[in-house]
Amino acid sequence: MLFKSAKTHTVRTAGDPVLRQTAARVEAVTPEIRKLAADMIAAMKVFDGIGLAAPQIGRSLRLVVMDVPPGDGAGPALTKGEKVLLPLMPVTLVNPRIISFSGDTGEREEGCLSVPDVFAPVVRPLRVVLQSELLDGSTVELECGGLLGRCIQHELDHLDGVLFTDRLAPAAAARIAGDLERLIRDGAGRDFKRMRRR
Ligand code: ZN
């Protein structure tokens, strides 16, 4: 019987300088960019994430993949962005940007594949208007709320060198400070690489 050979996926963890850089624009959707997006989707799935930005695999480019699950329908009415994008998951965003944020905010626990085993509540605007290119060359401009709106804000932060741990209230920041320091210290010994095979 033949088996597909397992591929090793690597995610960079807190302390890696690539996570602090401002990522460069994707100039054109080339076959190499499509391959990179496919690799990112595979890595996101292997690590059980719902979003991944290219810097997290060591590529400082404005490219994001997301696999946000459909909601349970219990929350507020879906935004246009959720209606359009959730059925397309996993979706790739090329040069995404947020053109406006809602005034109202909400708090929700976040985690990050680059900050494993650390979870803390982050206050963010409840909805954002996302403008992005998609891999098919189209451009979307959509208001996105719910978990999707939060995931977009978290992932786009990565493109500007920001981690969710930068956005914590002082009490939450103090609570995770020891874990974060340990993660950075341990990470230095393995070149800030976290690996998983599938
Ligand atoms: Zn993250």
Side-chain angles (χ1 to χ4, degrees):
M1 190 177 280
L2 292 171
F3 292 94
K4 271 171 88 172
S5 60
K7 179 170 164 43
T8 302
H9 294 278
T10 305
V11 166
R12 306 301 180 90
T13 57
D16 191 318
V18 74
L19 294 175
R20 292 308 192 180
Q21 291 172 10
T22 298
R25 277 184 60 82
V26 174
E27 293 303 334
V29 177
T30 58
E32 196 231 341
I33 292 294
R34 289 176 187 281
K35 167 81 165 53
L36 178 59
D39 286 346
M40 287 169 60
I41 288 170
M44 172 174 63
K45 288 177 183 280
V46 166
F47 284 95
D48 299 316
I50 63 167
L52 188 73
Q56 293 182 274
I57 62 162
R59 296 291 303 273
S60 194
L61 284 170
R62 303 191 86 79
L63 193 65
V64 162
V65 298
M66 295 187 298
D67 193 14
V68 177
D72 57 10
L78 291 184
T79 52
K80 178 86 186 296
E82 290 167 279
K83 287 180 189 163
V84 170
L85 294 177
L86 292 179
L88 299 180
M89 297 290 163
V91 73
T92 301
L93 303 179
V94 182
N95 299 320
R97 64 190 190 104
I98 292 170
I99 58 175
S100 70
F101 296 85
S102 67
D104 47 347
T105 59
E107 185 179 75
R108 187 166 177 163
E109 189 117 310
E110 293 189 21
C112 179
L113 296 183
S114 294
V115 193
D117 303 321
V118 174
F119 300 90
V122 183
V123 175
R124 295 192 190 266
L126 287 172
R127 295 171 309 284
V128 295
V129 176
L130 167 76
Q131 191 182 75
S132 183
E133 300 160 36
L134 303 182
L135 279 183
D136 66 5
S138 63
T139 298
V140 294
E141 187 174 312
L142 295 164
E143 186 184 42
C144 300
L147 183 57
L148 176 65
R150 179 166 288 268
C151 185
I152 287 167
Q153 293 176 71
H154 177 117
E155 299 309 330
L156 268 61
D157 268 352
H158 278 300
L159 306 182
D160 293 320
V162 175
L163 299 176
F164 84 97
T165 49
D166 302 332
R167 295 196 177 276
L168 304 181
R175 184 171 58 73
I176 64 139
D179 290 339
L180 193 55
E181 276 172 31
R182 198 171 311 117
L183 174 69
I184 292 170
R185 197 173 57 234
D186 294 350
R190 46 176 171 69
D191 206 15
F192 302 107
K193 286 177 177 168
R194 183 183 174 207
M195 297 190 195
R196 204 172 269 187
R197 280 172 76 82
R198 186 176 291 167

